Amino acid sequence: MKSKKVKELMNWLEKRTRGIDLPRDYSEGEVFALIEIAELESEESEKLDLKVEEFKNKH
């Protein structure tokens, strides 16, 4: 995966919700949000930072 932000956010989510060192399952909403962030990053959109903050506030 080329997206650095998505990898960063997936690690961030895993660290926040880690239980007994089990891999984390991502919900459909989280996956769609991560895909949107990856697309914004590939387009070098100005909205990227806003979406990342939105994602972090939501989760």
Side-chain angles (χ1 to χ4, degrees):
M1 179 184 299
K2 293 181 180 180
S3 175
K4 293 178 183 175
K5 287 290 183 185
V6 170
K7 287 181 187 177
E8 183 181 304
L9 289 171
M10 288 173 73
N11 288 332
W12 177 81
L13 274 175
E14 187 175 325
K15 287 177 185 173
R16 292 190 73 228
T17 57
R18 199 168 201 165
I20 316 167
D21 290 329
L22 296 174
R24 186 179 192 294
D25 292 329
Y26 296 95
S27 71
E28 183 178 334
E30 290 170 338
V31 171
F32 285 136
L34 291 171
I35 291 169
E36 183 179 7
I37 289 169
E39 289 172 345
L40 290 172
E41 187 175 6
S42 70
E43 297 168 357
E44 297 179 5
S45 175
E46 295 175 4
K47 296 179 182 178
L48 177 62
D49 291 333
L50 177 64
K51 283 291 180 183
V52 168
E53 284 303 313
E54 232 175 72
F55 183 86
K56 285 184 174 181
N57 288 335
K58 191 174 187 179
H59 302 309

